[in-house]
Amino acid sequence: MTPVSSHSSMRTVQVLGGGNAASGAHVRSLAAGLVARGVRVTVCAPVEADHTYDFTGVGAEHVHVPRSSDPGSVAALRAACTGADLVHAHGLHASFRTALALSGRRTPLIVTWHDRARADGPRAHFLRVLERRVVRAATVVLGTTSALVDRARRTGARDARLAAVSLPGPRTSPVVDDPDRLRPKVRAELGATGRPLLIAVGSLERHRGYDVLLDAAHAWRRLDPVPLVVLAGEGPLRGELRRRIEDEELPVRLVGRREDVADLLAAADIALLPSRWEARSPLAQEALQARVPLVATRVGGIPELVGDAAELVPYGNARALADAVVRLLDDPERRELLKERGVRQAATWPTEDETVAQVLSVYDELTRPRPLI
């Protein structure tokens, strides 16, 4: 990237809460791109987020701001935002705290919705109230999918736009192993030698649809050889899923949180995404880039993201999920077609440089001096 000297006087504050992996990686990528263009960047986030994403390593200032449950977080944010040309918050809770911190100030507030907040019962109503407060306080709402933009507009946003959001590349360049050697090595470690390997990655939470995935796994037990399903991730449903796997003797392994998702995908025959809701799913993007056929639910931003480069099934339909996998396993030509389509679809996604450029154009628009009338 080429630094742009005209932005050397601009100071932005990026606000991140606990942050999921996608929003944390995005803020790091955005901070790096802005700093490279001469923008002064302060990232307000819990200290553990800086340990994970190393905002200071790309030239940003990091200010520790406690999570939303801490009563000192709004005061800390208000102090950190003093003198900023604009503030950019990521995620619902971080955005709500930022709106409170900027109360009474004329500092422009940009909010990015990376995903939709999920809850049931009374908490769902509470989250809808937060959404309304946030979008009405925001100068601009950026949604990572058309569905999120539409939701922001329905909720009362004055200005909601589709955001260009890239899948950031790896922070370091790992030593590239021989793929012909790596694939059998990973498959052997997982216990998938001589059998199809199906991979799903994500937190073990209700909205991921893993209960439906286990229902589908019953049908795969009748195949010869029986596919192995590997779930990589941690979360509150681990115990429940483990009991079902054991009690129902399902061909599924829980392997916990993994740092080698790229290696898992390189070894996989099919990637699975059975979620109830997804925005710009990192797994979907990584699978298509890695030339791994994807079976996903037709929800949220998935159809817009993958186009015709994946097999899409209705959420909650275990039979449709099971049948789609069986068809792909029986049809190597279809798998190859999806691989080629995946590469073409991935080429249409915004790059990190394009993402930064779009965000910076919004910043310029909001900080440009207004002509005197």
Side-chain angles (χ1 to χ4, degrees):
M1 296 179 215
T2 303
V4 180
S5 59
S6 63
H7 294 112
S8 59
S9 63
M10 181 185 291
R11 176 174 176 254
T12 72
V13 175
Q14 307 288 321
V15 184
L16 184 68
N20 59 32
S23 59
H26 172 68
V27 170
R28 184 185 192 276
S29 172
L30 187 57
L34 292 172
V35 168
R37 287 165 166 80
V39 179
R40 290 179 294 155
V41 178
T42 298
V43 178
C44 294
V47 66
E48 56 268 26
D50 187 48
H51 291 160
T52 300
Y53 299 105
D54 190 23
F55 304 118
T56 53
V58 298
E61 176 192 8
H62 171 252
V63 174
H64 169 63
V65 174
R67 296 178 183 275
S68 57
S69 58
D70 191 307
S73 61
V74 173
L77 263 179
R78 187 170 180 83
C81 293
T82 300
D85 292 295
L86 53 84
V87 180
H88 190 165
H90 302 262
L92 179 59
H93 293 286
S95 300
F96 179 67
R97 286 182 291 139
T98 305
L100 293 178
L102 294 179
S103 178
R105 295 181 178 178
R106 302 183 65 180
T107 309
L109 171 61
I110 299 95
V111 168
T112 293
W113 278 5
H114 294 270
D115 205 345
R116 191 182 75 187
R118 291 169 293 269
D120 298 311
R123 181 164 173 77
H125 174 71
F126 171 70
L127 292 179
R128 286 194 294 271
V129 171
L130 287 191
E131 286 182 344
R132 286 196 294 271
R133 291 285 300 274
V134 164
V135 300
R136 290 171 183 174
T139 312
V140 174
V141 177
L142 300 176
T144 60
T145 69
S146 297
L148 289 173
V149 173
D150 291 343
R151 184 179 180 89
R153 288 171 178 162
R154 290 196 304 270
T155 309
R158 290 174 287 171
D159 187 342
R161 313 178 191 182
L162 185 64
V165 177
S166 64
L167 178 67
R171 286 169 46 183
T172 58
S173 297
V175 176
V176 178
D177 202 346
D178 181 348
D180 292 334
R181 292 172 49 197
L182 180 62
R183 180 179 169 88
K185 178 181 176 181
V186 174
R187 292 174 72 93
E189 175 211 328
L190 296 172
T193 300
R195 61 194 297 197
L197 176 60
L198 316 180
I199 295 287
V201 180
S203 56
L204 305 183
E205 299 178 84
R206 193 71 61 188
H207 73 274
R208 295 291 182 187
Y210 290 147
D211 55 336
V212 181
L213 179 55
L214 296 192
D215 291 341
H218 281 275
W220 302 329
R221 291 187 306 182
R222 298 193 294 269
L223 302 180
D224 183 20
V226 177
L228 174 65
V229 182
V230 169
L231 301 186
E234 285 292 352
L237 292 186
R238 182 180 181 85
E240 177 182 324
L241 295 174
R242 186 185 66 248
R243 284 190 294 273
R244 277 200 62 186
I245 292 167
E246 294 172 353
D247 293 346
E248 300 169 29
E249 299 181 344
L250 299 175
V252 180
R253 280 194 62 188
L254 303 178
V255 296
R257 185 177 290 107
R258 300 281 292 231
E259 300 298 327
D260 60 344
V261 171
D263 293 344
L264 296 181
L265 282 172
D269 295 291
I270 296 174
L272 303 174
L273 189 64
S275 305
R276 180 171 63 194
W277 168 267
E278 290 282 349
R280 291 188 67 88
S281 161
L283 176 65
Q285 295 176 76
E286 291 168 357
L288 267 58
Q289 290 178 336
R291 294 175 53 85
V292 178
L294 174 69
V295 177
T297 43
R298 190 181 291 104
V299 297
I302 293 299
E304 181 179 36
L305 179 67
V306 303
D308 64 354
E311 296 286 356
L312 299 182
V313 299
Y315 167 72
N317 190 325
R319 172 57 63 86
L321 176 62
D323 290 348
V325 168
V326 171
R327 286 195 303 271
L328 275 182
L329 291 176
D330 287 342
D331 190 346
E333 291 185 1
R334 176 65 177 172
R335 295 200 302 274
E336 287 300 317
L337 176 63
L338 289 181
K339 291 177 184 179
E340 296 304 320
R341 287 180 176 176
V343 171
R344 290 198 297 269
Q345 182 70 11
T348 69
W349 298 333
T351 64
E352 289 186 77
D353 196 59
E354 290 167 342
T355 296
V356 175
Q358 188 217 34
V359 170
L360 192 54
S361 71
V362 176
Y363 291 179
D364 285 339
E365 175 187 334
L366 299 183
T367 58
R368 187 182 304 122
R370 297 181 180 180
L372 296 176
I373 300 176

